[in-house]
Amino acid sequence: MVIKKLNSVFSKHSRIFFGIFALLIIVAFMPGLTGGCNQDPGKQQAGTAFGEKVTYHDLAKFGRKVSVAMTMISDGRMTQMPEYDALFQMYCMEKYAERIGLTVSDKEVADMIKTLPVARKDNKFDVEKFDKFTKNAGLNDEDISDAIRLMVVMNKLSLVNNTDKNVSDQEAEAFYRATNNQFTLEICQLDPAKFKVAPPKKDDLQKFYNANKTKFTKDNKQLTFEAALVDVNKEYKQEKQIAEAVKFATENAKKIKEMTDRKAAVKAFADLKKYGTVTTISYPDEKLMQDMNKFMLIYPLLSSLPQLHTGDIEAFMASAGPAFVRVIKRAPSDMSKFAAAKEQIKMQLAQLKQQQSYQRMLAEISKQCKSDIPQKGQAE
């Protein structure tokens, strides 16, 4: 079962795991933010993060911390510098942490060092082994401190905004019913960019700017309305397009639900393709672990799946915006083993809620960071 597999990974690696997760596979959670080509470090701009210029020199300097951290995590075996596209994403996360006031104490640094493979022998902290490693690797105190603080910050970011982690008995039962059915689903994710909106009036933009001033900064300074006008117009348009997509989803969900002719309903669902992208998903399915985008697409549906039956078409709010789901097929569930599995399921759901919270944070970061690193295949 997918969720069981995810849980075993969290349990096995415990505290250190999420730092590794953020450093090594963050790319999977911020699609489209960066390209895939390296360039020589220098003053050339690699992108912007929260209104500030980011150069290749900045990324190379940051990469030193990442490289040291990865080496310590992997027991001294991993020393290769990540590519600039991955570094840019991690750099944005560190800047986000600074903006929200995340700090790391000396005690937290010391505690983290004691958990590292390069500092442990016979399942306990070994200062001689750690000193030998740092000497052989040519690391000074600043290298070690910077790398450890980066790891701790990444771990802390995994818990940001994760307030809704309690799981009720009803949620656990709904999840069990959903995961013990076999569903074949067709999901249409609407693309807000495909919805037209009227050109805004300047007064509307001014009101939008006044309500969202903190979004529009450069070099840690507040931009005036006129200086931020291009970005204000862009943000305003996107917000209106999302609102139009939500309205469209609500109205069409009602129309489709009221259709008595199922063939007509299926055709109406097919017509939605011009407003988004349709994905077919089998659930539960171990292969979902290989495609986290699909897994996160279906996650908001898990609690409502027990109420859906073959042929049903519903609108729902996915992490990327409004979407529709059509149940192509549903097999029945077996509740005989639920009581014995309930506590384990609640623990697994709490971990999934943490992952969803992390996904929302990454989406917020991606809105405020822009890479100029060329896509693969593009001229540099």
Side-chain angles (χ1 to χ4, degrees):
M1 198 162 76
V2 172
I3 184 62
K4 183 177 180 182
K5 188 172 183 180
L6 183 63
N7 181 63
S8 68
V9 175
F10 269 91
S11 300
K12 180 179 179 183
H13 295 281
S14 187
R15 175 183 176 183
I16 261 184
F17 172 74
F18 222 102
I20 300 173
F21 183 87
L23 286 169
L24 302 183
I25 60 172
I26 179 179
V27 176
F29 292 96
M30 299 177 76
L33 182 59
T34 66
C37 297
N38 281 338
Q39 296 193 22
D40 291 334
K43 295 182 179 180
Q44 184 179 353
Q45 182 165 319
T48 55
F50 305 99
E52 296 183 0
K53 178 181 177 181
V54 181
T55 67
Y56 283 94
H57 177 75
D58 294 329
L59 295 185
K61 185 177 178 181
F62 175 77
R64 170 65 176 170
K65 288 193 289 187
V66 175
S67 181
V68 173
M70 293 168 74
T71 301
M72 289 193 288
I73 287 172
S74 59
D75 202 8
R77 292 186 296 271
M78 187 178 295
T79 57
Q80 183 179 357
M81 178 81 77
E83 293 188 356
Y84 283 114
D85 56 351
L87 286 178
F88 179 76
Q89 297 178 60
M90 289 181 264
Y91 181 92
C92 291
M93 289 190 69
E94 186 183 53
K95 289 299 179 183
Y96 177 79
E98 292 175 2
R99 290 173 68 86
I100 64 175
L102 283 187
T103 59
V104 179
S105 68
D106 292 342
K107 183 179 184 302
E108 288 175 308
V109 171
D111 289 344
M112 177 61 85
I113 289 175
K114 293 176 183 178
T115 70
L116 297 173
V118 294
R120 297 187 69 80
K121 183 179 179 180
D122 298 329
N123 205 31
K124 60 183 180 181
F125 176 61
D126 188 317
V127 65
E128 290 184 4
K129 180 181 177 181
F130 185 65
D131 287 345
K132 183 178 179 180
F133 159 74
T134 57
K135 182 178 179 181
N136 291 340
L139 301 178
N140 58 38
D141 290 346
E142 185 178 357
D143 290 331
I144 296 167
S145 177
D146 287 348
I148 295 295
R149 290 179 191 279
L150 177 62
M151 284 191 281
V152 176
V153 161
M154 292 297 180
N155 284 356
K156 286 186 174 185
L157 281 176
S158 73
L159 303 175
V160 170
N161 297 324
N162 187 33
T163 55
D164 184 25
K165 60 183 179 181
N166 296 322
V167 179
S168 66
D169 290 350
Q170 291 77 13
E171 285 180 292
E173 181 177 342
F175 184 81
Y176 183 86
R177 288 183 181 277
T179 55
N180 283 270
N181 280 264
Q182 183 64 49
F183 288 89
T184 303
L185 308 169
E186 202 173 28
I187 297 177
C188 178
Q189 174 73 66
L190 299 183
D191 180 2
K194 294 186 177 182
F195 291 84
K196 295 181 179 180
V197 294
K201 297 178 180 179
K202 193 167 184 178
D203 286 347
D204 294 329
L205 293 177
Q206 181 71 63
K207 290 178 182 178
F208 182 81
Y209 168 81
N210 292 340
N212 299 275
K213 282 185 177 180
T214 57
K215 287 185 177 182
F216 308 108
T217 61
K218 186 175 182 180
D219 298 328
N220 289 325
K221 294 181 180 179
Q222 182 75 57
L223 291 174
T224 64
F225 171 67
E226 294 297 336
L229 188 55
V230 172
D231 288 334
V232 172
N233 187 60
K234 180 180 176 181
E235 292 275 349
Y236 178 87
K237 181 180 179 181
Q238 289 176 344
E239 187 171 289
K240 290 299 180 182
Q241 286 177 318
I242 291 173
E244 284 297 314
V246 171
K247 180 182 177 183
F248 175 87
T250 303
E251 293 176 350
N252 280 271
K254 186 173 184 296
K255 290 178 183 178
I256 293 174
K257 204 162 188 174
E258 291 174 350
M259 290 180 178
T260 55
D261 185 345
R262 296 317 299 170
K263 288 185 178 180
V266 171
K267 183 180 183 303
F269 180 87
D271 290 342
L272 296 173
K273 291 182 180 180
K274 62 184 177 182
Y275 297 102
T277 303
V278 175
T279 304
T280 301
I281 297 177
S282 293
Y283 188 84
D285 184 354
E286 291 287 340
K287 292 181 180 178
L288 278 178
M289 287 301 294
Q290 301 170 19
D291 192 337
M292 192 58 73
N293 288 332
K294 279 188 176 182
F295 185 76
M296 295 308 297
L297 179 60
I298 195 176
Y299 177 71
L301 279 173
L302 295 183
S303 61
S304 59
L305 278 180
Q307 288 75 49
L308 299 181
H309 302 277
T310 301
D312 284 354
I313 298 174
E314 299 281 349
F316 72 100
M317 185 59 69
S319 58
F324 286 88
V325 59
R326 180 170 79 92
V327 182
I328 298 174
K329 183 180 179 181
R330 170 183 171 167
S333 59
D334 177 8
M335 295 297 294
S336 61
K337 298 179 181 179
F338 170 67
K342 183 172 71 173
E343 292 307 314
Q344 179 72 9
I345 291 170
K346 291 174 77 171
M347 182 177 69
Q348 293 166 345
L349 272 179
Q351 291 168 341
L352 276 178
K353 285 188 175 186
Q354 178 179 338
Q355 179 60 59
Q356 189 178 45
S357 174
Y358 193 70
Q359 171 74 5
R360 288 195 296 268
M361 180 193 69
L362 293 178
E364 178 61 29
I365 292 174
S366 71
K367 291 179 182 178
Q368 302 183 65
C369 298
K370 179 181 179 297
S371 170
D372 295 326
I373 299 171
Q375 296 284 337
K376 287 183 178 179
Q378 288 184 342
E380 296 185 8

